[in-house]
Amino acid sequence: MYRPRSGYFFAGAIYILCAGLIGQSFVTESADGVLTTSAWCALISYIFHLTFIRPKVTFFDEGIRITNPLREITVGWDRIQEINARYSMYIQVEGEKIYAWAAQAPGRYHARSIHPTELRGLKIPDPLNMRAGESPRTHSGVAVALGRIRHEAFLTRSNASACDSSTEFNNRGLTILVILAITAFAVTLT
């Protein structure tokens, strides 16, 4: 499973900030103010949870599972045509690109700071014209390298079987998000 550690840092910083805001509102606000602050902090914290904690890329023998904030896509290795990175790591399946939120690519100037020894064994097709997102020091580069290695291993096995492809919508996550938003607006307006 691949999930960048920086996501925990960003989400943790927001959790601490929201806890501080709630604590400050206990000291300076009335009960209505504390309730309003708590409702908005819960909404903001959950948005950051969906954005930074939930996304991940899971590699397994039969396929890959990309978990984004509101969708989880599972694809067998046999259906994947390309694994690459542009704005983030993506897989191409039957002409459609499926992007992974967990593996964001850096800016275009990052590729200039890469030393050739960092690229050994990473299955990069053309190291001289490498995209910044394929750098082994980036989230997308790590995920692309892991995906290419697993995909190649699947293709070289003679008795390899792929998993079924599926897409699941995060109904529970969207429901919680809508409830928190309605609660925050309702508490603010009363």
Side-chain angles (χ1 to χ4, degrees):
M1 180 179 70
Y2 177 76
R3 178 185 285 145
R5 291 188 184 123
S6 62
Y8 292 112
F9 172 76
F10 291 129
I14 290 299
Y15 298 158
I16 291 169
L17 179 68
C18 286
L21 285 172
I22 293 170
Q24 182 268 336
S25 70
F26 269 111
V27 175
T28 61
E29 300 287 331
S30 64
D32 290 342
V34 172
L35 187 60
T36 303
T37 303
S38 299
W40 282 104
C41 285
L43 175 63
I44 291 168
S45 295
Y46 193 69
I47 289 171
F48 271 78
H49 170 78
L50 285 177
T51 306
F52 291 107
I53 303 295
R54 180 167 164 52
K56 64 184 173 186
V57 180
T58 307
F59 305 97
F60 48 98
D61 291 339
E62 298 82 20
I64 184 171
R65 179 174 296 124
I66 295 176
T67 305
N68 288 333
L70 294 178
R71 284 191 341 164
E72 185 173 85
I73 302 106
T74 304
V75 180
W77 291 120
D78 60 333
R79 296 189 58 216
I80 295 176
Q81 299 161 339
E82 179 184 15
I83 301 172
N84 214 328
R86 186 166 177 98
Y87 305 110
S88 69
M89 178 237 182
Y90 69 85
I91 58 173
Q92 187 165 351
V93 179
E94 298 171 1
E96 178 190 1
K97 291 180 181 177
I98 301 169
Y99 289 91
W101 282 50
Q104 298 297 317
R108 65 181 175 181
Y109 296 109
H110 179 81
R112 295 180 183 173
S113 66
I114 299 170
H115 194 271
T117 58
E118 297 175 10
L119 306 176
R120 292 186 190 139
L122 293 182
K123 312 286 187 226
I124 296 173
D126 185 9
L128 297 176
N129 293 321
M130 179 185 78
R131 290 182 175 168
E134 294 178 318
S135 167
R137 289 187 281 145
T138 64
H139 300 308
S140 59
V142 171
V144 166
L146 290 171
R148 286 178 178 162
I149 290 168
R150 292 287 240 176
H151 188 239
E152 186 176 302
F154 175 82
L155 295 175
T156 58
R157 282 187 285 153
S158 60
N159 61 349
S161 63
C163 66
D164 295 331
S165 297
S166 65
T167 300
E168 294 179 30
F169 190 77
N170 185 7
N171 291 321
R172 185 180 67 149
L174 183 62
T175 303
I176 293 171
L177 188 64
V178 169
I179 289 170
L180 288 173
I182 290 171
T183 303
F185 280 109
V187 168
T188 302
L189 296 176
T190 57

